[in-house]
Amino acid sequence: MKMLSFKNFCERVKNELPDLLAQDAVHGIHVEQIIKNNGMVCTGVIFQTDDSNISPIIYLDSYYESYRNGRVFANILYDIAETYEQHKPEKNFDVNMIQNFATAKEHISCRLVNLDLNKEQLKNHPYKKIDDLAVTYHLEFESIENGTATIAINNKLLEGYGITIDELDSLARENMKNLSTPLFQNMETLLVERLLEDIMLSFDIDEKEAMELIKNSYDGSQSIYVLSNEQNMYGASLILDNDVMDMVAHEVGERFYVIPSSVHECLILPFDGNMEHYKEYEQMVKDVNDTQVQQNEILSYKMYMVDARKHIFMSCERAYEMEQKMQEKEKEQSQEFVQNKQHRVDVKPIAPKC
């Protein structure tokens, strides 16, 4: 059988999926293109029902990839139907929770995204620029059945709230303490948590042997930490929380590097005293972004420096340039001092003649 094009694959999903769902449960299925973070375009199937005014979006891009790799179309269709049944909402969402500032303000959160890669989306949304990053604002409602509902705050919604961007930013940062629980771990500990079971199964060894294998494979010559949140969703935004930065500083020192692994987490390295080393790290960031991170999860190709005592966050490139200018200025002042000293004329009083 001839392989379906992506367009025909989506059309067939749209036409055949209703047969696998409960009768009268869904009265409309649409396939739409949705722009996600960093301008990544994904194709999702959206369900319309009489029971609820919200619906989960099931993205078809990964399903099509599995189809191209040989998975049977019928199995994919059953998988999509089962996913919908597991996550379908069973009641309406109160839109007043979005439009009414009094109820919405407790749900305002913030995210960190790449400024340049999101220029088009940001035209209609309030944001704050931090170096090459943008702080964006969202509403998070954890009470939604079978998951959370996240709504991006656009300019029109902000206008309806009657507050400024500064006030919005202040609310979002304050709410982080309730909406995003920080998770700060040593890299070795994290590797054990994420890989232990897989290694035990792959090598058919017990837990003690697996832990030893992980420790031997991890180069612990330099302390590396991972910062995210318990949900591991847009956890990189925690670097905006001064309390979290103080917590990190208590462990690694007042000045430290921040390496953006993705929008979901950052790596933290103690400052080694040599700003020029950031160039080597940034090459590593580029290689990882280009080969291992999904397009919509890339945060930045830069590396950052944090001074927790002064609550300063900036790119290492900018911090290095500032340091170089400061050193040049100090050098000029030192040379000027020496020159002035050399040209100074001492006046010796002449004793009066008797």
Side-chain angles (χ1 to χ4, degrees):
M1 181 181 293
K2 184 179 178 181
M3 181 167 289
L4 297 170
S5 65
F6 182 59
K7 181 180 179 180
N8 291 337
F9 174 87
C10 295
E11 192 67 23
R12 189 172 168 186
V13 168
K14 173 186 171 183
N15 293 335
E16 298 183 21
L17 194 56
D19 295 336
L20 301 180
L21 304 175
Q23 291 295 321
D24 301 325
V26 177
H27 63 72
I29 293 180
H30 304 281
V31 175
E32 295 183 11
Q33 285 193 330
I34 298 160
I35 300 177
K36 302 186 74 176
N37 187 47
N38 295 339
M40 182 177 177
V41 179
C42 294
T43 302
V45 58
I46 302 172
F47 305 80
Q48 288 183 323
T49 70
D50 294 324
D51 297 330
S52 177
N53 59 359
I54 57 175
S55 169
I57 300 174
I58 300 177
Y59 293 102
L60 300 178
D61 307 81
S62 59
Y63 283 111
Y64 182 67
E65 189 64 28
S66 66
Y67 166 74
R68 283 175 54 86
N69 290 331
R71 192 177 180 194
V72 177
F73 179 84
N75 292 341
I76 293 175
L77 206 61
Y78 277 108
D79 194 352
I80 296 172
E82 184 179 358
T83 300
Y84 171 73
E85 291 295 338
Q86 290 174 350
H87 296 278
K88 67 179 180 182
E90 296 180 354
K91 58 184 178 181
N92 282 329
F93 178 71
D94 185 3
V95 294
N96 288 325
M97 294 180 69
I98 301 172
Q99 299 170 341
N100 187 343
F101 178 67
T103 56
K105 64 181 181 180
E106 295 181 359
H107 301 276
I108 295 173
S109 67
C110 57
R111 295 178 177 179
L112 264 184
V113 299
N114 187 281
L115 178 61
D116 190 55
L117 295 176
N118 290 279
K119 278 184 178 178
E120 286 302 312
Q121 298 94 298
L122 292 174
K123 287 180 179 178
N124 300 314
H125 295 80
Y127 69 92
K128 288 209 127 189
K129 181 180 181 297
I130 298 181
D131 215 284
D132 68 322
L133 305 176
V135 185
T136 60
Y137 307 95
H138 307 258
L139 296 171
E140 290 187 11
F141 297 95
E142 295 184 359
S143 59
I144 301 301
E145 195 167 353
N146 297 325
T148 62
T150 303
I151 299 123
I153 296 176
N154 56 30
N155 293 333
K156 185 177 180 181
L157 194 56
L158 178 62
E159 184 180 353
Y161 290 160
I163 62 174
T164 64
I165 292 182
D166 287 340
E167 291 170 325
L168 179 70
D169 183 74
S170 180
L171 270 172
R173 295 189 187 221
E174 185 63 31
N175 287 342
M176 290 177 76
K177 296 171 177 56
N178 298 321
L179 299 177
S180 188
T181 304
L183 193 64
F184 183 60
Q185 293 177 291
N186 184 281
M187 177 66 85
E188 183 177 336
T189 302
L190 189 65
L191 287 174
V192 169
E193 286 186 2
R194 292 183 177 180
L195 302 177
L196 185 62
E197 188 173 340
D198 289 341
I199 289 178
M200 288 171 63
L201 292 172
S202 299
F203 293 93
D204 192 22
I205 55 179
D206 60 26
E207 182 176 320
K208 184 178 179 181
E209 291 174 312
M211 289 186 67
E212 194 64 31
L213 187 61
I214 292 172
K215 289 180 179 179
N216 290 337
S217 63
Y218 170 67
D219 179 12
S221 57
Q222 183 176 17
S223 297
I224 303 176
Y225 298 83
V226 180
L227 176 66
S228 185
N229 52 22
E230 288 185 348
Q231 302 86 357
N232 198 32
M233 289 294 295
Y234 287 93
S237 61
L238 283 167
I239 61 177
L240 301 171
D241 188 328
N242 288 334
D243 290 340
V244 173
M245 292 299 93
D246 290 341
M247 175 192 71
V248 172
H250 180 74
E251 187 69 34
V252 304
E254 290 182 348
R255 297 182 74 189
F256 50 87
Y257 296 116
V258 174
I259 299 178
S261 304
S262 71
V263 293
H264 303 305
E265 65 181 26
C266 292
L267 299 182
I268 306 291
L269 279 73
F271 179 53
D272 59 5
N274 189 339
M275 279 296 304
E276 200 164 356
H277 285 167
Y278 86 89
K279 298 174 184 178
E280 302 170 13
Y281 288 122
E282 284 195 348
Q283 183 58 49
M284 178 191 71
V285 172
K286 182 181 186 307
D287 293 342
V288 171
N289 279 343
D290 291 344
T291 60
Q292 299 181 37
V293 182
Q294 293 184 25
Q295 179 188 335
N296 66 311
E297 295 186 350
I298 292 173
L299 178 55
S300 175
Y301 283 84
K302 290 187 178 181
M303 182 174 170
Y304 304 91
M305 168 64 70
V306 170
D307 187 322
R309 183 174 61 85
K310 298 179 181 178
H311 292 156
I312 294 175
F313 174 89
M314 68 175 68
S315 69
C316 285
E317 179 182 17
R318 185 179 165 205
Y320 179 68
E321 289 174 354
M322 290 177 63
E323 186 180 80
Q324 293 296 105
K325 288 180 180 179
M326 189 177 297
Q327 289 177 358
E328 289 175 6
K329 187 174 182 180
E330 289 175 353
K331 185 178 179 180
E332 289 174 0
Q333 290 175 341
S334 176
Q335 291 174 343
E336 185 178 342
F337 175 78
V338 171
Q339 290 174 355
N340 289 339
K341 189 175 180 180
Q342 289 173 343
H343 290 89
R344 187 180 301 152
V345 177
D346 292 328
V347 178
K348 185 177 181 181
I350 302 174
K353 295 181 179 179
C354 296

